[in-house]
Amino acid sequence: MAFENLADKLSQTFAKLRGKGKLTESDIKVAMREVKLALLEADVSFKIVKDFISNVSERAVGAEVLESLTPGQHVIKIVNEELTALMGGAAEKLTYSPNPPSVYMLVGLQGAGKTTTCAKLAGLLRKDGKRPLLVACDVYRPAAIKQLQVVGKQLDIPVYAEEDCKDPVGISERALRHARSNLNDVVLIDTAGRLHIDETLMGELCDIKAAVNPQEILLTVDAMTGQDAVNVAQSFHEQLSVDGVILTKLDGDTRGGAALSVRAVTGKPIKYAGMGEKLSDLEVFHPERMASRILGMGDVLTLIEKAEQAFDEKKAIELEQKMRNERFTLNDFLDQMEQMKNMGPLSSLLDMIPGMDKAKLKGVTVDEKQFARLGAMIQSMTMEERENPSIINSSRKQRIANGSGTKVSDVNALLKQFDQMCKMMKQFTNPKKMKRGKMRFPFPM
């Protein structure tokens, strides 16, 4: 999870503050020293850390504490506000050209994930009603064009490519004409990865910029780059004047220093964050939500948005009716698991829930493969067995286990879990039991 180490360190620091009724200047100095070390360990640039600590200390010392807050909570509030400001303040989406197509150049180091991100962004923009065109201008990396074509096909988004041409400037110009004639209102140019110190290749980017006059240049930064992300961002911005940043692989970096450094160095917003390997795992970057997650306050809004995207409203209404009529089946159980999987890794979802004790969750692993095993067992059943699990006897259990590559004990566990869920649903849909306080959760909390 992104910022995991930083979040752990900050939660330990603020736990000490919460226990104090009144904070002295000495308490704040000790806390800020620990916050400073936590930020440096998270790979945040030293200058940025120094400014951040200075701002927080200045606001915290001698500040009037709101009646509704304790001094410790007040310091946490200030740190939350400063973290949010450090990452940009508010979410910023792409701007569009008044004269379509809007052209976006994705630039960055090799291996930063530009090609995949290009496709992810195209998929996201299509959800907003746009008609994107992907342009393959990485003429140097072997199979780069093929990779863009593959991900484009997976998303059913057209790709403009000239496989025998080694002139990315000419390709981008002709792609723009192609977009106009085919009514594509968004053009996403996938450029070749290059070192920021390579003058020839950086000059090539400047030539593409001059040729197509992009609406925005988006710097793609690998969140795992660490402090070097600062030098990369600074150099690309000086030479190209980037308009925004896309952080990739943020889900795989426990430090997350790049997210806190790049915005401060370039002065440009982080617009999107890659949170997984799927082509749907690109999110609008919300500084206030990320700050909340870092400080262990959860991220309910993102959780709700993920649920809205993953869950079918019509199916939800049908499920409610089935629950009320006590007709919940294993088919419904399977359908709910599939929709849960669409929300992303369970570990990242737990991180969005406010009040989750990360110390207690430390070392707890969520077995994502369990979903696949449960699904295989249900799919190995006949339709009659799924509708009426009570008919599943010993011989049927053996057949289901053989068909799903599991054991009879696994089938028994699934049926028991399903039975417990049905009992819990009866309690939820029985207002008398809930009113009398008779509701019991079948799962250990």
Side-chain angles (χ1 to χ4, degrees):
M1 168 230 147
F3 300 108
E4 184 176 350
N5 294 345
L6 175 59
D8 288 345
K9 292 279 175 62
L10 292 182
S11 66
Q12 291 168 20
T13 301
F14 294 135
K16 298 171 186 174
L17 293 181
R18 287 191 184 98
K20 294 179 178 287
K22 186 179 181 181
L23 295 182
T24 64
E25 189 171 336
S26 174
D27 290 330
I28 293 173
K29 280 185 178 179
V30 170
M32 289 304 102
R33 184 164 62 245
E34 292 185 20
V35 171
K36 179 180 180 179
L37 289 173
L39 289 169
L40 290 172
E41 286 178 16
D43 255 352
V44 183
S45 165
F46 176 76
K47 182 181 182 303
I48 293 166
V49 172
K50 185 180 176 183
D51 293 342
F52 178 83
I53 296 300
S54 175
N55 292 340
V56 173
S57 299
E58 188 178 324
R59 289 184 60 189
V61 176
E64 288 188 17
V65 180
L66 297 172
E67 289 184 11
S68 58
L69 300 176
T70 67
Q73 289 171 335
H74 191 67
V75 173
I76 296 170
K77 177 178 177 289
I78 292 172
V79 171
N80 184 33
E81 290 171 354
E82 290 295 328
L83 268 178
T84 301
L86 186 61
M87 290 187 285
E92 291 191 38
K93 293 188 178 181
L94 294 181
T95 60
Y96 297 108
S97 170
N99 301 309
S102 299
V103 181
Y104 305 99
M105 277 177 64
L106 270 71
V107 301
L109 298 182
Q110 190 169 351
K114 286 185 304 303
T115 301
T116 306
T117 301
C118 210
K120 287 180 178 181
L121 183 55
L124 209 59
L125 294 176
R126 189 174 57 183
K127 287 182 180 178
D128 289 338
K130 301 298 179 182
R131 298 184 70 251
L133 173 70
L134 296 169
V135 181
C137 279
D138 185 350
V139 297
Y140 306 109
R141 180 168 63 89
I145 295 174
K146 183 64 177 176
Q147 183 187 354
L148 191 65
Q149 289 171 332
V150 168
V151 291
K153 187 176 181 181
Q154 288 175 1
L155 293 170
D156 195 25
I157 292 173
V159 176
Y160 182 87
E162 297 179 14
E163 296 189 31
D164 297 325
C165 181
K166 297 297 181 183
D167 175 20
V169 178
I171 293 171
S172 61
E173 288 176 318
R174 290 185 287 275
L176 194 53
R177 289 198 292 270
H178 176 86
R180 290 194 180 105
S181 61
N182 287 273
L183 302 179
N184 295 107
D185 53 4
V186 166
V187 175
L188 295 160
I189 300 177
D190 177 32
T191 65
R194 62 206 69 210
L195 291 173
H196 50 288
I197 56 174
D198 190 322
E199 292 183 8
T200 303
L201 289 177
M202 290 301 291
E204 183 181 88
L205 288 180
C206 294
D207 292 340
I208 295 175
K209 176 183 176 181
V212 298
N213 188 27
Q215 176 69 15
E216 291 192 20
I217 296 177
L218 301 171
L219 176 63
T220 309
V221 177
D222 183 342
M224 301 175 78
T225 307
Q227 291 211 25
D228 194 44
V230 173
N231 300 326
V232 172
Q234 201 162 17
S235 181
F236 270 90
H237 183 52
E238 286 172 358
Q239 297 185 61
L240 290 168
S241 185
V242 301
D243 300 285
V245 178
I246 300 179
L247 280 177
T248 63
K249 309 174 191 175
L250 194 56
D251 60 311
D253 183 28
T254 59
R255 295 170 300 177
L260 298 174
S261 301
V262 169
R263 168 64 174 80
V265 168
T266 63
K268 300 299 178 180
I270 300 169
K271 297 203 170 187
Y272 297 95
M275 301 300 291
E277 296 180 359
K278 294 180 183 176
L279 292 176
S280 56
D281 291 338
L282 186 70
E283 301 175 1
V284 173
F285 187 82
H286 294 271
E288 70 282 5
R289 299 185 192 180
M290 189 59 72
S292 181
R293 286 166 71 174
I294 291 171
L295 295 176
M297 300 174 187
D299 184 358
V300 175
L301 290 175
T302 300
L303 189 61
I304 291 170
E305 287 173 2
K306 282 181 173 290
E308 286 176 343
Q309 292 170 7
F311 285 84
D312 187 299
E313 187 177 351
K314 186 178 178 182
K315 286 184 178 180
I317 294 170
E318 290 175 359
L319 180 62
E320 183 186 357
Q321 290 298 323
K322 287 185 176 184
M323 286 171 62
R324 290 185 183 280
N325 298 323
E326 298 180 10
R327 290 190 294 107
F328 187 75
T329 69
L330 280 163
N331 270 329
D332 299 318
F333 188 40
L334 179 63
D335 191 50
Q336 290 301 298
M337 284 196 299
E338 289 298 324
Q339 294 190 65
M340 278 288 290
K341 280 167 61 180
N342 291 337
M343 290 180 66
L346 287 180
S347 53
S348 66
L349 297 182
L350 290 174
D351 184 53
M352 296 178 194
I353 301 173
M356 291 297 287
D357 191 334
K358 291 181 181 177
K360 289 183 179 178
L361 288 174
K362 201 75 174 175
V364 175
T365 56
V366 181
D367 187 3
E368 303 285 347
K369 293 180 181 177
Q370 182 67 10
F371 275 128
R373 285 193 289 270
L374 292 173
M377 284 186 280
I378 295 174
Q379 288 166 342
S380 295
M381 298 176 186
T382 64
M383 291 305 294
E384 186 182 8
E385 289 166 345
R386 296 184 203 182
E387 294 289 331
N388 185 17
S390 62
I391 67 170
I392 302 177
N393 55 25
S394 299
S395 60
R396 288 174 183 260
K397 289 177 183 177
Q398 188 62 62
R399 191 201 77 244
I400 293 166
N402 292 340
S404 57
T406 56
K407 301 174 183 177
V408 172
S409 59
D410 295 325
V411 179
N412 284 331
L414 165 62
L415 294 174
K416 183 179 180 181
Q417 186 179 1
F418 177 73
D419 184 56
Q420 289 176 322
M421 182 176 285
C422 289
K423 287 177 181 176
M424 185 176 71
M425 286 180 172
K426 284 181 184 179
Q427 291 175 330
F428 271 117
T429 54
N430 188 333
K432 289 183 179 178
K433 283 189 176 182
M434 290 182 73
K435 192 173 182 180
R436 293 172 188 165
K438 291 183 180 180
M439 190 175 77
R440 297 288 184 269
F441 287 95
F443 303 112
M445 299 300 285

